[in-house]
Amino acid sequence: MTIQEQMRKGTTTVIILNLLAELDRPMYGYEIIKELEARSQGYFRFQEGLIYPRLHDLEREGLLRSKWQGQEGSRRRKFYTITDAGRHRLEEELRGWRAFYKHVNLLLGVKMAP
Amino acid sequence: MTEIDHLMARLRAQMDLDGETEQEVLAEIRDHLEEALAEARAEGLDEAEALAQAAARFGLEEEIGQELQTTHVGWGTAEAVIAAGLPVVGALILRWLAFAPDGTALGWPQLLSRPAFWIVALAALLIPLLKFERWRYALVAWIIFWGLTVIFVTWPALRW
């Protein structure tokens, strides 16, 4: 896996967890993508299909829980919610991100707002 | 066959998952594409443009199909290990349940009156159900459990 692929995978994971923790309600894949695009003012335009392997990975790790909603015959959707384990992982990931950017900014001489 | 059907077929060609998992993955993605298509139509695009936009934003089905395969193939392996292990564990527990300490086999009335038997029976049903959230797996484990029970009670000479 290339560095870019690893970064993309890691970034997507923390962004998804953060969104679901912040909104604290079940969301489905398309809705998650649209919300992330809107929040990033279009800067992050995902290759939409790639969100599903990430969602399924997170579910597999127990960081998300999913539930199908809707009746047979009508539109059925798979909704995801964050678990307690997901919230703990998010805290860890955010700590890691802050430390990473702080030190990269130090190396690059970028002044951060206090 | 619609363009979405073609896209789904190409995606499916990249995956080799068990039927139920594949069905769920494809249902989720079809829902995504249908919503993307409806949104593109609502933006005023004609049918061909809407399909092209939905497909382009979704991404390359080869790459996504391979990622989905990678994600889910591990599940199948874990499930297979557990599925292979459950009957072995079940057989050992049943052997302990179905035979008295002196080695004589219990009959149906004695076995069915033991709370431990029903605890194991419920566990055989609920553990696969809670673990995999699939009734199919739970019922298979349940059938194996009862099959082994019948064998132990009917043919006590099978004691080992």
Side-chain angles (χ1 to χ4, degrees):
Chain A
M1 189 182 283
T2 66
I3 290 173
Q4 284 83 358
E5 282 171 334
Q6 285 177 8
M7 281 185 70
R8 185 190 67 200
K9 207 168 176 175
T11 310
T12 311
T13 296
V14 72
I15 287 173
I16 292 170
L17 290 175
N18 188 61
L19 179 71
L20 288 168
E22 196 180 314
L23 296 183
D24 201 20
R25 65 177 169 83
M27 296 180 81
Y28 59 96
Y30 192 78
E31 186 184 17
I32 291 170
I33 290 165
K34 291 297 146 188
E35 184 65 29
L36 293 177
E37 280 182 10
R39 283 173 173 234
S40 72
Q41 298 175 336
Y43 183 81
F44 284 110
R45 187 167 283 279
F46 292 87
Q47 191 176 336
E48 295 175 356
L50 285 175
I51 199 168
Y52 294 101
R54 295 293 79 73
L55 287 171
H56 299 175
D57 277 334
L58 293 171
E59 187 184 1
R60 173 66 172 160
E61 289 178 55
L63 306 179
L64 298 183
R65 183 181 303 120
S66 75
K67 189 174 183 183
W68 284 91
Q69 290 184 7
Q71 302 296 317
E72 290 286 350
S74 65
R75 171 168 265 175
R76 293 181 75 236
R77 281 195 169 130
K78 193 176 181 185
F79 284 83
Y80 296 88
T81 46
I82 189 167
T83 62
D84 288 341
R87 289 179 194 278
H88 287 127
R89 171 69 72 83
L90 175 62
E91 284 172 21
E92 287 171 17
E93 295 276 350
L94 288 176
R95 271 198 297 273
W97 274 100
R98 288 187 195 109
F100 177 78
Y101 280 108
K102 179 183 166 189
H103 291 95
V104 170
N105 285 337
L106 281 173
L107 288 172
L108 297 177
V110 177
K111 296 254 191 290
M112 292 180 74
Chain B
M1 206 178 195
T2 66
E3 186 59 35
I4 286 186
D5 292 327
H6 286 295
L7 199 148
M8 299 294 293
R10 290 196 295 273
L11 190 64
R12 193 176 188 171
Q14 303 298 322
M15 297 190 285
D16 181 24
L17 305 173
D18 75 81
E20 197 169 354
T21 303
E22 192 169 289
Q23 203 176 355
E24 279 196 8
V25 169
L26 293 175
E28 187 176 25
I29 288 172
R30 177 177 285 278
D31 175 59
H32 175 111
L33 290 169
E34 285 175 353
E35 184 160 359
L37 194 57
E39 194 176 287
R41 286 191 197 114
E43 287 170 8
L45 300 181
D46 66 32
E47 194 63 17
E49 289 170 333
L51 279 166
Q53 177 175 294
R57 287 188 178 174
F58 184 76
L60 296 172
E61 53 271 17
E62 287 80 8
E63 182 185 359
I64 292 158
Q66 284 163 14
E67 288 232 11
L68 284 166
Q69 175 69 20
T70 305
T71 296
H72 286 278
V73 77
W75 296 35
T77 307
E79 288 173 1
V81 169
I82 292 171
L86 271 178
V88 175
V89 173
L92 290 171
I93 293 173
L94 267 171
R95 179 189 171 278
W96 167 72
L97 280 172
F99 291 95
D102 64 0
T104 54
L106 300 177
W108 281 112
Q110 296 155 299
L111 188 62
L112 296 180
S113 65
R114 297 183 76 176
F117 175 81
W118 289 106
I119 290 169
V120 174
L122 273 177
L125 183 67
L126 292 178
I127 289 172
L129 180 64
L130 295 174
K131 172 71 183 165
F132 300 118
E133 297 179 352
R134 300 267 196 285
W135 273 107
R136 189 179 61 173
Y137 296 157
L139 290 174
V140 167
W142 184 249
I143 288 166
I144 291 172
F145 171 83
W146 282 105
L148 287 169
T149 305
V150 169
I151 290 169
F152 278 123
V153 175
T154 311
W155 294 288
L158 285 178
R159 173 168 61 95
W160 73 84

